[in-house]
Amino acid sequence: MFTTYKEALDWIHARLRLGIKPGLKRMEWMMDKLGNPETKMKTVHIGGTNGKGSTVTFLRSIIEVGGYTVGTFTSPFIEQFNERISVNGKPISDAEMLQLANIIRPFADELEETELGGPTEFEVITAMAFYYFANLRKVDLVIFEVGLGGRFDSTNIIQPLASIITNIGLDHTNILGSTYEEIAFEKAGIIKLNTPIFTAVRQPGAVKVIEEQAEMKGAPIYRIEQEFSISHHTSLPKGEVFTIITEFETARELEISMIGQHQTENAALAVIAAQFLNQQGEFILTEHAIRTGLIKAYWPGRFEILSERPLVIIDGAHNEEGITALTQELMTRYQNREIQVVFAALTDKKLDEMIAKLDQVSEHITFVSFDFPRAAKAEELVKISQSQNKLAVDDWGPYLLEEIQSLENNSMLVITGSLYFISEVKPFLAKYLKNKTTSL
């Protein structure tokens, strides 16, 4: 029995030692013990390589503006662990997290004694989310974000109203496969019988795999550039404006406050899913709800401007596709700026290709270490870079403060890489920048 929030959190984090164990049998075992809470809620399931969290946020915001209460399950966290289980964007309380840990732990201990073995950290927090929304806080809809892959992800025991696959990238290739087609097959594992699938996947081979799985399941499919499309896109200083054309209706001059062309695709997925739910009578979602929900949607750590003077941006570009989107935005928006990059990553990423892209846009690049089991060391990263102006730093905190203080008017600092790193950096810098502004 845990008596404090810290004890509960330490127990959850300690389960990282079990690593990643794909498969649904442990989740099914726990759900059976808990009375199958996953069957007691309306859900939407969102998978993909990048953009899952943003798509969750766009859809949640639209439905919330429509007057409904929406639960979300996302990972990893950026500002605090509790945000992984949230209601209308607000993380659950420490007391609720403690209560959930005490409910789940006896079953986790019991499961550990079986041939299935103990549940991983992600399986524990997923079980907590299912129990919470089924028994402690009933909501109108819960949006579940896939943790890894889809077919064997612990969230893949739900029967959702709709499934979404944002895109496909060559990430987690050691687990999901080394080709777009193999990874698409794993992602397409979230497609359910007669349940619509919405996707922004573009690679022809990957699209074909998803189409085949949808046909096998009798699932209606909505594909970008076919059943829905984006037009008249214009970038704003702090967002994007665009039109979305779908089989249901056309929504003109929609605006989002998230930065990046790739965010228009995430928003489009949320819009067409919302239109579908509205058409099916599951929720009443007007054009006002869609328009207002999009502009209000905020997801931390995604091309987020922490400070304008000096210009400091954080972006959780944790794989090659994320780095590509980041560097494209930097070249489009800040081609006249001197860009200084700080980068940290996990060892299981395509580091050579990611670093090569950052080398191309940065005047100076610094590689840093951070405290996480799979984090790459700064000394390892700096060896990969071909930049003439590169540096390795172990203690990133003091270094970042020094860099921010020395930034000139034509310079900018971009902090990017692992979301686990960004989750440490953001609260650290937000506090510093707030104090700096207050003292002026």
Side-chain angles (χ1 to χ4, degrees), residues 276-377:
F276 170 81
L277 294 174
N278 180 70
Q279 185 195 61
Q280 296 297 305
E282 293 288 351
F283 299 90
I284 299 173
L285 300 169
T286 63
E287 182 182 342
H288 169 78
I290 289 174
R291 195 170 294 277
T292 305
L294 288 182
I295 193 71
K296 290 179 67 175
Y298 162 73
W299 191 233
R302 275 65 174 183
F303 210 97
E304 182 178 0
I305 300 174
L306 287 187
S307 167
E308 293 187 353
R309 294 186 179 179
L311 183 54
V312 180
I313 292 173
I314 59 171
D315 187 75
H318 58 282
N319 52 34
E320 187 183 356
E321 288 73 25
I323 292 291
T324 298
L326 168 64
T327 53
Q328 286 176 348
E329 287 301 317
L330 290 173
M331 288 187 289
T332 300
R333 292 173 176 271
Y334 302 110
Q335 53 186 312
N336 296 323
R337 291 263 193 170
E338 182 182 285
I339 301 172
Q340 300 183 39
V341 171
V342 173
F343 178 71
L346 302 185
T347 55
D348 58 356
K349 304 296 180 178
K350 291 183 175 294
L351 297 174
D352 53 347
E353 296 173 18
M354 295 168 70
I355 291 172
K357 292 178 186 293
L358 291 174
D359 281 345
Q360 292 175 6
V361 299
S362 60
E363 183 70 24
H364 186 279
I365 185 165
T366 302
F367 301 96
V368 298
S369 306
F370 71 106
D371 186 19
F372 190 77
R374 291 180 286 128
K377 297 297 183 184

Side-chain angles (χ1 to χ4, degrees), residues 87-375:
V87 176
N88 285 357
K90 182 181 179 182
I92 66 173
S93 68
D94 290 357
E96 288 172 314
M97 188 65 75
L98 174 61
Q99 180 182 7
L100 288 169
N102 278 321
I103 290 168
I104 300 300
R105 180 174 183 174
F107 300 109
D109 290 344
E110 185 180 346
L111 179 56
E112 198 139 12
E113 298 304 315
T114 71
E115 62 181 12
L116 296 174
T120 65
E121 184 207 39
F122 190 76
E123 288 170 336
V124 163
I125 190 68
T126 306
M128 292 167 70
F130 282 132
Y131 188 91
Y132 180 76
F133 291 120
N135 300 297
L136 302 184
R137 181 70 187 276
K138 294 185 181 296
V139 295
D140 298 306
L141 179 75
V142 187
I143 307 174
F144 280 92
E145 176 188 338
V146 170
L148 174 65
R151 187 163 63 110
F152 292 127
D153 186 74
S154 61
T155 62
N156 200 29
I157 55 175
I158 57 176
Q159 297 295 322
L161 300 173
S163 303
I164 297 173
I165 300 175
T166 57
N167 54 49
I168 299 293
L170 298 178
D171 200 12
H172 298 293
T173 53
N174 59 322
I175 297 174
L176 303 180
S178 58
T179 67
Y180 290 115
E181 291 78 10
E182 288 173 336
I183 294 175
F185 179 75
E186 296 301 325
K187 305 285 187 186
I190 69 171
I191 300 173
K192 302 296 191 301
L193 285 174
N194 306 317
T195 302
I197 175 70
F198 303 90
T199 183
V201 172
R202 292 181 178 273
Q203 299 93 339
V207 172
K208 184 179 179 182
V209 170
I210 293 171
E211 290 170 341
E212 290 171 350
Q213 292 301 308
E215 184 177 1
M216 286 175 58
K217 304 283 179 62
I221 186 169
Y222 299 84
R223 298 154 292 187
I224 196 165
E225 305 300 352
Q226 295 192 59
E227 288 74 26
F228 69 102
S229 61
I230 300 165
S231 67
H232 299 87
H233 168 232
T234 303
S235 291
L236 301 175
K238 292 186 178 180
E240 315 290 333
V241 173
F242 50 97
T243 292
I244 297 176
I245 304 164
T246 76
E247 286 195 345
F248 303 112
E249 60 182 290
T250 297
R252 302 185 186 280
E253 295 186 350
L254 298 172
E255 185 175 342
I256 58 175
S257 55
M258 292 193 210
I259 294 173
Q261 185 275 333
H262 58 288
Q263 292 292 7
T264 65
E265 296 188 0
N266 298 328
L269 286 168
V271 169
I272 190 171
Q275 290 175 342
F276 170 81
L277 294 174
N278 180 70
Q279 185 195 61
Q280 296 297 305
E282 293 288 351
F283 299 90
I284 299 173
L285 300 169
T286 63
E287 182 182 342
H288 169 78
I290 289 174
R291 195 170 294 277
T292 305
L294 288 182
I295 193 71
K296 290 179 67 175
Y298 162 73
W299 191 233
R302 275 65 174 183
F303 210 97
E304 182 178 0
I305 300 174
L306 287 187
S307 167
E308 293 187 353
R309 294 186 179 179
L311 183 54
V312 180
I313 292 173
I314 59 171
D315 187 75
H318 58 282
N319 52 34
E320 187 183 356
E321 288 73 25
I323 292 291
T324 298
L326 168 64
T327 53
Q328 286 176 348
E329 287 301 317
L330 290 173
M331 288 187 289
T332 300
R333 292 173 176 271
Y334 302 110
Q335 53 186 312
N336 296 323
R337 291 263 193 170
E338 182 182 285
I339 301 172
Q340 300 183 39
V341 171
V342 173
F343 178 71
L346 302 185
T347 55
D348 58 356
K349 304 296 180 178
K350 291 183 175 294
L351 297 174
D352 53 347
E353 296 173 18
M354 295 168 70
I355 291 172
K357 292 178 186 293
L358 291 174
D359 281 345
Q360 292 175 6
V361 299
S362 60
E363 183 70 24
H364 186 279
I365 185 165
T366 302
F367 301 96
V368 298
S369 306
F370 71 106
D371 186 19
F372 190 77
R374 291 180 286 128

Side-chain angles (χ1 to χ4, degrees), residues 4-14 81-82 97 101 121:
T4 68
Y5 170 76
K6 184 180 184 305
E7 289 176 353
L9 202 56
D10 287 346
W11 172 72
I12 295 169
H13 287 327
F81 184 82
N82 297 21
M97 188 65 75
E121 184 207 39

Side-chain angles (χ1 to χ4, degrees), residues 315-318 343-346 370 372 416-423:
D315 187 75
H318 58 282
F343 178 71
L346 302 185
F370 71 106
F372 190 77
T416 188
S418 168
L419 284 167
Y420 295 101
F421 172 59
I422 296 299
S423 71

